[in-house]
């Protein structure tokens, strides 16, 4: 009896495997037929079924799947079915999470729809996955020109201003300010000044996703990624000890723009003084 049961189970498994292979084969044929008839939506659905049933086929059908996805996305875009379009890309990225071509294409759709910060994230990921991917690099630089305000470049090239900041931070650190919070870090330059001046703990927050990722790259390029903790947060949302372990002894910032007159630097500094900065005894 035991041998009989084992044989039964083996036959059952063999039957299920045969059924799976048959369904995969039929779905691939149907997908190809739909592509020939430019029925991209149905072809995309067939490929989703195939890849979920037979993930081992991912390398084999990758290029055809990409083509089908992009064609179907174009149709959805033209029909203003935006949520369906995003759902398709999310499904595709679940199947191919490290595919730079899909990431770049997702970014292009987001950029055209005005979601520039989100688009930059996908372009940045595509470039990270493949630094030689020319289209993704061009797209990332293009969206960065929209997102990185012109005054960043002016300030970064202002040697006199930067030297003044550096000296002020050095003086503060020498006077005993060993823990520093950089509000609106931008490229991370003030955080790096603080670390080079000898601060033992340096934290930096940045609300813009693009600027946060840029700061991460700049800090890493200067071999300080383990010494400066970067937070993708608005300073008003920083909590102790959730984000930083304790109050800091120095707050630095260079976020002087139109925000000065709204919910910008004034509110941030008041919050930092009340909640994040060590109070004088």
């Amino acid at each position: 009896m035991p041998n009989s049961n084992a044989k039964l189970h083996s036959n059952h498994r063999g039957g299920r495997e045969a059924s799976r292979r048959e369904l995969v084969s039929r779905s691939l044929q149907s997908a190809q037929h739909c592509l020939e008839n430019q029925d991209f939506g149905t072809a995309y659905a067939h490929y989703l079924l195939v890849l979920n049933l037979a993930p081992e086929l991912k390398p084999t059908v990758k290029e055809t799947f990409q083509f089908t996805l992009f064609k179907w996305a174009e149709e959805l875009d033209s029909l203003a079915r935006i949520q369906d379009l995003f759902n398709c890309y999310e499904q595709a990225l679940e199947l191919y999470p490290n595919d730079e071509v899909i990431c770049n294409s997702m970014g292009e759709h987001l950029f055209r729809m005005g979601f520039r910060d989100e688009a930059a994230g996908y372009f940045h990921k595509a470039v990270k996955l493949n630094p030689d991917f020319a289209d993704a690099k061009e797209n990332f630089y293009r969206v960065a020109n929209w997102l990185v305000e012109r005054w960043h470049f002016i300030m970064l090239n202002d040697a006199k201003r930067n030297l003044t900041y550096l000296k002020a931070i050095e003086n503060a650190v020498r006077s005993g300010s060993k823990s520093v919070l950089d509000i609106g870090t931008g490229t991370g330059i003030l955080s790096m000044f603080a670390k080079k001046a000898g601060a033992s703990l340096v934290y930096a927050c940045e609300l813009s996703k693009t600027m946060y990722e840029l700061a991460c790259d700049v800090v890493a390029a200067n071999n300080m990624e383990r010494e400066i903790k970067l937070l993708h947060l608005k300073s008003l949302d920083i909590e102790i000890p959730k984000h930083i372990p304790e109050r800091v002894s120095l707050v630095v910032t260079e976020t002087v723009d139109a925000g000065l007159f709204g919910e910008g630097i004034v509110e941030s500094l008041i919050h930092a003084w009340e909640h994040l900065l060590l109070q004088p005894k």
Side-chain angles (χ1 to χ4, degrees):
M1 284 296 290
N3 289 337
S4 176
N5 286 337
K7 186 176 180 181
L8 216 77
H9 284 302
S10 177
N11 290 339
H12 183 61
R13 283 196 301 271
R16 283 192 302 177
E17 178 60 23
S19 297
R20 183 185 73 90
R21 288 198 300 267
E22 176 67 18
L23 182 55
V24 167
S25 176
R26 287 178 178 274
S27 293
L28 282 172
Q29 292 174 10
S30 297
Q32 189 59 43
H33 179 73
C34 290
L35 285 179
E36 291 170 0
N37 290 284
Q38 298 189 344
D39 183 359
F40 300 114
T42 307
Y44 175 76
H46 280 298
Y47 277 119
L48 279 184
L49 178 61
V50 167
L51 291 169
N52 278 288
L53 286 174
E56 68 274 11
L57 293 179
K58 285 181 183 180
T60 307
V61 303
K62 180 179 176 179
E63 289 188 10
T64 311
F65 175 76
Q66 287 174 344
F67 172 80
T68 307
L69 168 67
F70 301 155
K71 286 294 186 181
W72 179 225
E74 287 176 10
E75 282 191 25
L76 292 173
D77 193 8
S78 67
L79 296 169
R81 292 172 55 183
I82 306 306
Q83 190 57 56
D84 289 336
L85 185 153
F86 287 151
N87 288 342
C88 285
Y89 273 96
E90 286 176 3
Q91 292 166 340
L93 287 170
E94 284 180 8
L95 292 166
Y96 296 97
N98 296 317
D99 188 286
E100 71 273 19
V101 178
I102 295 176
C103 286
N104 183 64
S105 180
M106 175 66 156
E108 289 175 338
H109 281 286
L110 287 164
F111 184 77
R112 284 196 296 270
M113 294 172 192
F115 300 107
R116 290 171 183 150
D117 208 24
E118 292 82 356
Y122 281 97
F123 294 145
H124 185 261
K125 182 178 179 180
V127 173
K128 283 285 190 182
L129 290 167
N130 182 1
D132 297 324
F133 189 5
D135 287 350
K137 286 199 288 188
E138 182 180 341
N139 284 332
F140 181 69
Y141 295 145
R142 179 162 55 111
V143 75
N145 284 331
W146 284 90
L147 293 171
V148 180
E149 293 87 343
R150 300 274 74 78
W151 51 264
H152 272 291
F153 301 110
I154 296 170
M155 290 194 303
L156 288 171
N157 287 286
D158 187 341
K160 183 178 179 181
R161 166 195 163 278
N162 291 337
L163 185 59
T164 302
Y165 263 111
L166 176 59
K167 287 182 177 179
I169 292 172
E170 285 177 340
N171 289 336
V173 172
R174 289 195 191 106
S175 299
S177 298
K178 296 299 184 181
S179 56
V180 181
L181 171 64
D182 179 7
I183 295 177
T185 193
T187 58
I189 187 170
L190 297 189
S191 297
M192 291 187 290
F193 283 171
K195 196 63 198 177
K196 287 181 178 179
S200 55
L201 299 170
V202 180
Y203 309 98
C205 64
E206 176 57 56
L207 181 59
S208 164
K209 184 177 181 182
T210 302
M211 292 307 300
Y212 165 77
E213 291 177 346
L214 178 60
C216 289
D217 286 345
V218 172
V219 167
N222 285 274
N223 299 314
M224 293 187 180
E225 66 269 29
R226 294 183 180 179
E227 301 174 338
I228 298 173
K229 183 176 181 180
L230 289 158
L231 303 167
H232 182 210
L233 284 173
K234 190 176 182 181
S235 62
L236 299 175
D237 296 330
I238 295 176
E239 298 177 15
I240 297 172
K242 181 178 179 181
H243 301 114
I244 60 177
E246 57 188 6
R247 290 175 180 247
V248 297
S249 51
L250 176 66
V251 170
V252 296
T253 187
E254 55 181 351
T255 49
V256 181
D257 64 352
L260 182 64
F261 305 105
E263 294 183 351
I265 188 61
V266 173
E267 188 177 354
S268 295
L269 289 177
I270 290 173
H271 174 77
W273 173 261
E274 293 178 344
H275 303 285
L276 306 176
L277 191 64
L278 284 170
Q279 298 300 314
K281 295 181 180 178

